[in-house]
Amino acid sequence: AVAMPAIAQSAPEVKWRCTSSFPKSLDTIYGAAELMSKTVAEATDGKFQIQVFAAGEIVPGLQALDATQNKTVEMCHSASYYYVGKDPTFGLGTAIPFSLNTRQTNAWFLYGNGLTLLNDFYKKYGVSMLPGGNTGGQMGGWFRKEIKTVADLQGLKMRIAGMGGQVMAKLGVVPQQLAGGDIYPALEKGTIDAAEWVGPYDDERLGLYKVAQYYYYPGWWEGCAALNFFFNLEELEKLPKSYRAALTAACARANESMLASYDAKNPIAIQSLVKSGTQLRRYPNDVLDAAYKAAHSLYDEISAKNPEFKKIWEDVKVFRNNGYLWWQIVEFTYDDYMVRARARG
Amino acid sequence: AVAMPAIAQSAPEVKWRCTSSFPKSLDTIYGAAELMSKTVAEATDGKFQIQVFAAGEIVPGLQALDATQNKTVEMCHSASYYYVGKDPTFGLGTAIPFSLNTRQTNAWFLYGNGLTLLNDFYKKYGVSMLPGGNTGGQMGGWFRKEIKTVADLQGLKMRIAGMGGQVMAKLGVVPQQLAGGDIYPALEKGTIDAAEWVGPYDDERLGLYKVAQYYYYPGWWEGCAALNFFFNLEELEKLPKSYRAALTAACARANESMLASYDAKNPIAIQSLVKSGTQLRRYPNDVLDAAYKAAHSLYDEISAKNPEFKKIWEDVKVFRNNGYLWWQIVEFTYDDYMVRARARG
């Protein structure tokens, strides 16, 4: 009998709202927030309920972080790089061109300085972050004409967001900002010449293969894209310790689940796209080299003005260079052999 | 007041024991079980306690599964492929030569047929499984002499376990079974000529670089190695639903954490090994080709006698072939570019 009040006290009913930056139609991404919510509810016997809202239901997708900062909601599921307009440092929480691959990103978050450095930065916005899934490496976008040299990019209007767009601009592209649903009609009418979205599974559902034939890889501006759960810091502090632990574990589950889902779905979708006539093209080396150089000069420019970006980017760079020194040994040679073995049949 | 008894009822004190197949010195692997335990305790307000025991504290490491089956413990942290002696099908829960890489393995478990097929199989042993971490791709072992062709493997005594050992035997190697702590003295005295363990971080701590100079890659018998949490089915059924949800989420957290930990530590350790004089060598193509052929003929032999292995292996093979078709496009070309860019400086 003595224990009961203590149990009751430690299990208050808590209701949170989580606004997603994504529509329900992006089921792999949106589904990760739902899995997080379901896991928290089950682990707390229904006492801690987090209701997930699609982009636009409470606030527009790109206002998810602000809504979390100003306590319209307690948390959101978003992509840090949507907020590079506030500060380019936000880019480092999701993806910047020619940076870490998926496993390196998770390693940097959890066992490098990633979460510590980023959460120091996010504190200014009244939020903290946990990894919220990853798309894996993305494709390099749909083009209506082949790209054989950097010159072929001159003047192309391409739907591409964030820092990838800034780097593309240095190569002569005119970046366009369009929501997912607006890409198809713009490509169809020819008001844009190219567009990047995510990868085979999501791109197929937008139907982009019907209005652009050439599908480029790799998406060098997103060697992976980490999604993020952002929490209002004050609301997070109010949680009982057990709810916070359930939330942390649920986010980890969502993080691994989203990647596994993409890794299961993309291999099927890419084959279906090729059957529908999509032509796969690797970006020419001169485009990759020019983009690599432009990206690093952009990082130098930003670093010269922004000490916070500089500090975190330098840390990422060391992690990336060590990471790829190791990656080239086992992972890369194993994959290399397996790719060739599959092709031999 | 009405709610209190219900809460008390749904939060009974439950104590479980988890026996690990690993010593505490393998801190990255052992630590994942501890993280699982800590997460469960925190998420249940200390009501569900899982105490983790190192190999040998309750039962020897290789008896973890049996101890779980016969209810000596409620769960264990082990590697499915330790039990290939009972049935080769156990190999498919951790790693078999030339199979899925790390991300493909998680994708097959969670979004392919992996967990469903394996848990159907494990049911015969009274257990079910959740992923319990991954080492990532492993190294191909330490050799005292260089391996330039398959002929150089003839008669070599090599510490190598499981199906990797069976494939090596087809190439002329005499596989040896030795516990981790016995590898160093055996290599030093020359009673064995070669040994595989895990990868740079764990191998460095065993000091193997002091007694064998050549460190081969890739570990084609373990393109990754999935660790596993096994649960006694009857004990699992007894858990309140909320504890089971907390346990599932905690295992997912441990699963992603172990991989991230290896991905952060191996890049540092490989550099340290090279500074200590370790010579890195890629397995020659003729060894890889012979091993690939031998592995697949082993799978054919097993499949002819074992319908359960055949069913699951056929499923893995389709997943692997689709997986690598996709992998070669984005992930591989991105990594390829980044590896070269790093080397250029």
Side-chain angles (χ1 to χ4, degrees):
Chain A
V2 170
M4 270 184 224
I7 294 168
Q9 218 169 14
S10 68
E13 303 237 340
V14 174
K15 288 194 193 300
W16 271 22
R17 301 198 300 173
C18 171
T19 188
S20 172
S21 289
F22 310 97
K24 288 182 184 168
S25 57
L26 277 172
D27 65 331
T28 304
I29 298 184
Y30 189 82
E34 287 188 313
L35 179 63
M36 175 280 302
S37 156
K38 179 174 166 280
T39 303
V40 166
E42 287 179 358
T44 61
D45 236 343
K47 295 279 178 286
F48 182 15
Q49 298 277 353
I50 302 174
Q51 194 177 352
V52 182
F53 294 88
E57 289 185 349
I58 300 177
V59 292
L62 302 183
Q63 289 171 30
L65 184 82
D66 301 75
T68 307
Q69 184 178 2
N70 66 28
K71 297 199 195 178
T72 301
V73 293
E74 291 80 10
M75 68 177 288
C76 68
H77 189 219
S78 189
S80 183
Y81 70 1
Y82 288 161
Y83 311 101
V84 291
K86 297 178 191 290
D87 186 322
T89 311
F90 275 101
L92 297 158
T94 294
I96 63 170
F98 299 105
S99 187
L100 310 174
N101 69 17
T102 306
R103 280 175 46 187
Q104 291 163 350
T105 297
N106 274 322
W108 180 66
F109 281 159
L110 299 176
Y111 284 87
N113 302 316
L115 277 184
T116 305
L117 290 171
L118 287 168
N119 279 327
D120 264 3
F121 165 73
Y122 294 136
K123 207 177 281 174
K124 280 196 296 192
Y125 298 86
V127 298
S128 76
M129 184 273 273
L130 282 176
N134 203 303
T135 62
Q138 298 201 0
M139 289 291 290
W142 299 85
F143 289 77
R144 290 159 60 97
K145 288 188 185 151
E146 275 193 90
I147 303 302
K148 295 190 169 165
T149 71
V150 175
D152 293 334
L153 293 171
Q154 284 301 316
L156 282 194
K157 283 184 258 177
M158 179 174 188
R159 187 271 175 198
I160 176 171
M163 284 202 191
Q166 289 177 266
V167 173
M168 276 291 195
K170 282 179 182 267
L171 307 187
V173 165
V174 187
Q176 312 283 313
Q177 310 280 349
L178 289 177
D182 299 332
I183 298 175
Y184 183 98
L187 262 180
E188 189 182 30
K189 281 179 216 146
T191 52
I192 59 174
D193 307 293
E196 66 94 30
W197 182 231
V198 183
Y201 178 71
D202 294 320
D203 291 10
E204 185 178 26
R205 284 147 46 110
L206 282 193
L208 302 183
Y209 63 95
K210 295 177 201 156
V211 284
Q213 188 179 3
Y214 300 104
Y215 198 19
Y216 275 78
Y217 62 88
W220 44 263
W221 51 91
E222 283 171 289
C224 77
L227 288 300
N228 315 90
F229 291 114
F230 289 105
F231 311 96
N232 181 284
L233 273 173
E234 289 175 18
E235 296 297 328
L236 193 64
E237 294 296 328
K238 283 188 211 159
L239 284 183
K241 197 183 161 204
S242 62
Y243 291 10
R244 189 157 169 173
L247 180 60
T248 300
C251 290
R253 187 181 184 201
N255 192 43
E256 77 161 19
S257 173
M258 190 197 297
L259 180 64
S261 177
Y262 272 116
D263 284 346
K265 289 169 181 164
N266 278 329
I268 308 304
I270 194 76
Q271 296 178 66
S272 157
L273 286 168
V274 168
K275 273 186 207 128
S276 302
T278 294
Q279 302 280 315
L280 298 176
R281 292 286 185 275
R282 182 180 176 277
Y283 271 112
N285 278 331
D286 92 309
V287 171
L288 292 174
D289 290 346
Y292 187 88
K293 208 176 142 188
H296 286 76
S297 85
L298 177 65
Y299 304 150
D300 289 344
E301 291 162 25
I302 298 171
S303 294
K305 295 178 291 196
N306 186 325
E308 225 152 2
F309 179 91
K310 183 179 196 300
K311 180 175 154 195
I312 307 183
W313 162 237
E314 294 292 335
D315 191 77
V316 169
K317 199 158 52 174
V318 170
F319 201 90
R320 180 193 71 175
N321 292 348
N322 284 329
Y324 269 112
L325 184 150
W326 164 236
W327 196 270
Q328 79 184 89
I329 298 170
V330 170
E331 298 293 342
F332 190 74
T333 56
Y334 185 78
D335 289 334
D336 181 38
Y337 188 81
M338 295 304 290
V339 161
R340 287 167 207 273
R342 192 200 64 81
R344 277 203 313 262
Chain B
V2 169
M4 270 185 225
I7 294 168
Q9 218 170 17
S10 69
E13 304 236 339
V14 174
K15 288 193 193 303
W16 271 22
R17 301 197 300 172
C18 172
T19 189
S20 172
S21 289
F22 310 97
K24 288 183 185 168
S25 57
L26 277 173
D27 66 331
T28 304
I29 297 184
Y30 190 81
E34 287 187 313
L35 179 63
M36 174 280 302
S37 157
K38 179 174 166 280
T39 303
V40 166
E42 286 178 1
T44 61
D45 236 342
K47 295 278 177 285
F48 182 14
Q49 298 277 353
I50 302 175
Q51 194 177 351
V52 182
F53 294 89
E57 289 185 348
I58 300 177
V59 293
L62 300 184
Q63 289 171 28
L65 185 82
D66 301 76
T68 307
Q69 184 178 1
N70 67 28
K71 297 199 193 176
T72 302
V73 294
E74 290 80 10
M75 68 176 289
C76 69
H77 189 220
S78 190
S80 183
Y81 69 1
Y82 288 162
Y83 312 101
V84 289
K86 296 178 191 291
D87 187 322
T89 311
F90 276 101
L92 297 158
T94 293
I96 62 170
F98 298 105
S99 187
L100 310 175
N101 69 17
T102 306
R103 279 174 48 185
Q104 290 163 351
T105 297
N106 274 321
W108 180 66
F109 281 159
L110 299 176
Y111 284 88
N113 301 316
L115 277 183
T116 304
L117 290 172
L118 288 168
N119 279 327
D120 265 1
F121 165 72
Y122 293 135
K123 206 176 282 172
K124 278 197 296 191
Y125 298 85
V127 299
S128 76
M129 185 273 273
L130 283 176
N134 203 305
T135 63
Q138 298 201 0
M139 288 292 289
W142 298 86
F143 289 78
R144 290 159 61 96
K145 290 189 184 149
E146 276 192 88
I147 303 301
K148 295 189 169 166
T149 70
V150 175
D152 294 333
L153 294 171
Q154 282 302 315
L156 283 193
K157 282 184 259 179
M158 179 173 189
R159 187 272 177 197
I160 177 170
M163 283 200 193
Q166 289 178 266
V167 174
M168 276 291 196
K170 284 179 182 267
L171 307 187
V173 165
V174 186
Q176 312 283 312
Q177 309 281 349
L178 290 176
D182 299 331
I183 299 175
Y184 182 98
L187 261 181
E188 190 181 30
K189 283 179 214 147
T191 51
I192 58 173
D193 307 293
E196 65 92 31
W197 183 231
V198 182
Y201 178 72
D202 294 319
D203 291 9
E204 185 179 27
R205 285 147 47 111
L206 284 192
L208 302 183
Y209 62 96
K210 294 177 201 156
V211 285
Q213 189 179 1
Y214 301 103
Y215 198 19
Y216 274 79
Y217 63 87
W220 43 264
W221 51 90
E222 284 171 287
C224 77
L227 289 300
N228 315 91
F229 291 114
F230 288 105
F231 312 96
N232 181 284
L233 273 173
E234 288 175 21
E235 296 297 328
L236 194 63
E237 293 297 327
K238 284 187 210 159
L239 284 183
K241 198 182 162 205
S242 62
Y243 290 10
R244 189 157 171 174
L247 180 60
T248 300
C251 290
R253 187 180 183 202
N255 192 43
E256 78 161 18
S257 172
M258 189 196 298
L259 180 65
S261 177
Y262 272 116
D263 285 346
K265 288 168 181 165
N266 278 328
I268 308 304
I270 193 76
Q271 295 179 67
S272 159
L273 286 169
V274 167
K275 273 185 206 128
S276 303
T278 294
Q279 302 281 314
L280 298 176
R281 292 286 185 278
R282 182 180 177 277
Y283 271 111
N285 277 332
D286 91 310
V287 171
L288 292 174
D289 290 347
Y292 186 89
K293 208 176 141 189
H296 286 75
S297 83
L298 177 65
Y299 304 151
D300 289 345
E301 290 162 25
I302 298 170
S303 294
K305 293 178 291 196
N306 186 325
E308 225 151 2
F309 179 92
K310 182 178 196 297
K311 181 176 154 193
I312 307 183
W313 161 239
E314 294 293 333
D315 191 75
V316 169
K317 200 158 53 174
V318 169
F319 201 90
R320 179 192 74 177
N321 293 347
N322 284 329
Y324 269 112
L325 184 149
W326 164 235
W327 196 270
Q328 78 184 89
I329 298 170
V330 169
E331 298 293 342
F332 190 75
T333 56
Y334 185 77
D335 289 333
D336 181 40
Y337 189 81
M338 295 305 289
V339 161
R340 287 166 206 273
R342 192 200 64 81
R344 276 202 313 262

